[in-house]
Amino acid sequence: FKGFSDLFSKTRLMTFFALNLFFSLIFTTNLNSQEPDIQKGKSLFNSQCAACHKLNRKLVGPALRGVSAKYEKDWLYSWIKNSAALIKSGDEQAVAIYEEYNKVAMNAFPNLSNEDIDNILAYTDYVPPKPTPPPGAPVTQTTTSSSTNDIIII
């Protein structure tokens, strides 16, 4: 029986490690697939949204920079997929936007998945980092002064 108990404990240990590895891979892969893709979002924005929206100014519809900070994500999914239905339901935010933009409902995008919308929102929220000068490049400073050094000759 000693050999059997050794085999049993080795099998148990191997099963434990195999299951641990299996679940680690599943959860790691699952987490990575949920990360929004800014480049896909930019592409989708340009093909689906840019005819009516700009990032930093109103066009046919509102500017979309930072829109995910203004509205709940589930609300945005509903609005983007079918704004007319949300307006018809009497949703206060939807009706307010509808009224502000001359009672024109946004086009419906039922073909966009929540992942597509997440990518678009990641793009609209993205603020590129400020460029840094290469090492050794001269640093220029801009200063402003409230005094003037103009000379007026009469």
Side-chain angles (χ1 to χ4, degrees):
F1 290 109
K2 184 178 181 206
F4 178 74
S5 68
D6 286 343
L7 179 63
F8 180 70
S9 64
K10 286 180 185 177
T11 303
R12 196 173 193 176
L13 187 60
M14 293 287 278
T15 302
F16 172 77
F17 284 121
L19 286 172
N20 196 4
L21 178 64
F22 174 75
F23 285 113
S24 295
L25 289 173
I26 285 178
F27 289 121
T28 303
T29 303
N30 208 5
L31 290 176
N32 289 337
S33 68
Q34 294 177 359
E35 195 65 33
D37 185 326
I38 294 169
Q39 287 304 315
K40 283 183 184 176
K42 180 179 182 179
S43 176
L44 285 165
F45 179 89
N46 288 332
S47 67
Q48 304 290 315
C49 312
C52 297
H53 297 279
K54 298 298 176 205
L55 290 177
N56 296 313
R57 66 180 171 88
K58 289 182 179 182
L59 196 59
V60 174
L64 294 182
R65 172 77 66 205
V67 71
S68 66
K70 297 175 189 171
Y71 304 99
E72 295 291 324
K73 190 174 278 193
D74 285 337
W75 185 90
L76 286 168
Y77 294 153
S78 297
W79 174 258
I80 293 167
K81 290 179 181 184
N82 191 348
S83 67
L86 207 53
I87 293 163
K88 189 175 180 179
S89 76
D91 179 272
E92 285 184 33
Q93 292 175 314
V95 171
I97 295 169
Y98 179 71
E99 295 287 333
E100 182 179 350
Y101 288 89
N102 302 316
K103 297 186 177 183
V104 176
M106 186 176 101
N107 292 342
F109 293 95
N111 57 312
L112 292 176
S113 68
N114 289 356
E115 184 179 343
D116 290 336
I117 295 169
D118 289 339
N119 290 334
I120 293 169
L121 295 174
Y123 171 66
T124 63
D125 290 341
Y126 178 71
V127 178
K130 291 183 180 180
T132 55
V139 177
T140 59
Q141 288 185 324
T142 307
T143 59
T144 58
S145 174
S146 61
S147 64
T148 60
N149 293 330
D150 296 337
I151 299 174
I152 301 175
I153 301 175
I154 304 183

